[in-house]
Amino acid sequence: MRTVEWDEVKCQIRLIDQRLLPAELRYLSFGTPEEVIWAIREMVVRGAPAIGVTAAYGLALAAQNSSAVTLEALREELQDVAHALVTARPTAVNLRWGVERLMKKVMQEDVTPQELKKTLLHEAHQIAEKDIQVNLRMAKYGAALIEDGDTIIHHCNTGALATVDWGTALGVIRYAHQSGKRVHVLVDETRPRLQGARLTAWELQQYGIPFEIITDNAAGFFLQRGEVNKVFFGGDRMAANGDVANKIGSYMLALAAKDNDVPVYTVVPTSTIDRTLAHGGLIPIEERSPEEVLDIQFQGQNVVPAGAKARNPAFDITPARLLSGIVTEYGVIYPPFDSNLASLFLSHPITIR
Ligand code: MRU
């Protein structure tokens, strides 16, 4: 299954429409950067790595569509598109990372517009391929943390659907299962957009991994009863000290896990680590439309009274002190996270950025 794809023939980006799953597996094609920005905002495509790759393709697409005849004119056009792409969703740093990687080529290469178009598409393909390789590496390192018979709470969707393919935290669980370990997943439904109940449950069914869906607020119950061995989730942006922004509810889950001595692991590629931010309080948090909270129905009726208001932060910050380990493509990082993350970047300066 490939969540983000480039269609060579039509010169378009092909995405799984994640709004329709699990009822329908439909692919949509996007031929302009404006459409791609819309797809990211509306969460046709979602998950930090998947939107990072989509944004890179979005910029490459803008270049392919451009009729600019000079390098300067093309550069100007792409700068505007890059800005619009980066601001489509503010929390996941992969979005900025993907766009910046291409913009570096845009600003540095002294070539013809035609050559730059080729370079950008090539770069976007490379980012997409690397995403899969990186996920497989994290899966291998992370799966070593899982023991035969473990029950794992997983939050949001971090599988193939959240990446180009394979996944981050769910990729770890999938790898453990494929290596013959018996794992059982308690799937947080993940209010308000239900990425767990809709997407993670659907993926686990495809892979034949046993699971049960739980309401987000039941996690503490199972943790307290000793029915959970580990908690795994992904990340949308990690600060230099290891604080991590992830789907709303991750913080409460990590708190309840800590209180019950259950280890919490976050699985993040190094492209999700924002070393420019010293701590999680500096990470911008996306607030989405209140309708995502208010529009819920029960037995065919609106749940909330007419005129009710709502708040809808899409992410929260789990402080590094609640994490037991950070799984990256270079191995598992343990506390103290600030110095160990700094050493990681020192030992892999070129491959990471
Ligand atoms: O709002 P979403 O669905 O894009 O949020 C996704 C998450 O929070 C994931 O847990 C995160 O991107 C890491 S998974 C690869």
Side-chain angles (χ1 to χ4, degrees), residues 207-272:
Y207 312 143
I209 301 174
F211 70 91
E212 289 161 304
I213 298 170
I214 60 171
T215 58
D216 300 341
N217 41 15
F221 171 84
F222 291 109
L223 285 157
Q224 199 176 45
R225 293 215 336 185
E227 292 189 31
V228 182
N229 304 97
K230 270 139 210 154
V231 168
F232 273 88
F233 51 72
D236 286 76
R237 190 183 308 213
M238 176 172 280
N241 69 346
D243 293 351
V244 63
N246 191 52
K247 180 52 54 195
I248 193 77
S250 303
Y251 171 45
M252 290 208 312
L253 174 60
L255 272 176
K258 179 82 173 174
D259 194 42
N260 291 285
D261 293 322
V262 173
V264 177
Y265 296 102
T266 179
V267 184
V268 292
T270 46
S271 56
T272 299

Side-chain angles (χ1 to χ4, degrees), residues 27-255:
Y27 290 83
L28 293 179
S29 292
F30 299 91
T32 68
E34 291 74 25
E35 288 172 3
V36 174
I37 292 161
W38 175 86
I40 293 172
R41 257 201 212 114
E42 293 302 310
M43 295 173 68
V44 169
V45 62
R46 30 93 18 224
I51 59 179
V53 172
T54 303
Y57 274 125
L59 197 63
L61 179 66
Q64 313 309 307
N65 289 354
S66 170
S67 49
V69 286
T70 66
L71 184 60
E72 286 62 42
L74 182 56
R75 278 181 175 156
E76 254 178 56
E77 265 182 44
L78 294 182
Q79 267 174 327
D80 289 345
V81 177
H83 177 74
L85 280 165
V86 163
T87 48
R89 294 198 69 192
T91 303
V93 74
N94 308 60
L95 192 58
R96 194 183 78 199
W97 179 85
V99 170
E100 275 179 1
R101 232 180 97 164
L102 264 69
M103 280 311 287
K104 218 167 162 185
K105 298 272 175 203
V106 172
M107 302 319 278
Q108 284 175 359
E109 305 261 312
D110 193 12
V111 290
T112 65
Q114 233 25 57
E115 283 166 337
L116 184 59
K117 290 178 187 189
K118 264 196 210 152
T119 304
L120 294 183
L121 194 53
H122 176 73
E123 192 72 4
H125 286 326
Q126 285 212 317
I127 294 175
E129 289 314 312
K130 183 107 190 269
D131 178 65
I132 303 172
Q133 291 163 21
V134 159
N135 290 339
L136 283 167
R137 285 170 59 175
M138 294 194 299
K140 208 168 168 183
Y141 286 123
L145 300 166
I146 295 177
E147 291 183 42
D148 186 36
D150 271 357
T151 292
I152 297 166
I153 295 189
H154 175 275
H155 195 66
C156 194
N157 173 266
T158 67
L161 291 168
T163 59
V164 177
D165 203 349
W166 196 266
T168 60
L170 203 61
V172 165
I173 294 170
R174 187 175 165 188
Y175 196 96
H177 167 77
Q178 281 196 3
S179 330
K181 290 180 184 171
R182 283 164 304 155
V183 281
H184 185 82
V185 186
L186 292 178
V187 176
D188 265 358
E189 60 176 358
T190 319
R191 279 283 287 147
R193 290 191 65 110
L194 303 169
Q195 289 95 327
R198 295 189 305 108
L199 308 176
T200 298
W202 181 78
E203 279 198 52
L204 288 169
Q205 267 181 350
Q206 316 290 310
Y207 312 143
I209 301 174
F211 70 91
E212 289 161 304
I213 298 170
I214 60 171
T215 58
D216 300 341
N217 41 15
F221 171 84
F222 291 109
L223 285 157
Q224 199 176 45
R225 293 215 336 185
E227 292 189 31
V228 182
N229 304 97
K230 270 139 210 154
V231 168
F232 273 88
F233 51 72
D236 286 76
R237 190 183 308 213
M238 176 172 280
N241 69 346
D243 293 351
V244 63
N246 191 52
K247 180 52 54 195
I248 193 77
S250 303
Y251 171 45
M252 290 208 312
L253 174 60
L255 272 176

Side-chain angles (χ1 to χ4, degrees), residues 96 238-240 273-278 341-342 345-346 349 352-353:
R96 194 183 78 199
M238 176 172 280
I273 304 174
D274 184 349
R275 287 180 295 158
T276 67
L277 302 183
L341 283 173
F345 281 94
L346 271 180
I352 284 176
R353 284 257 161 166

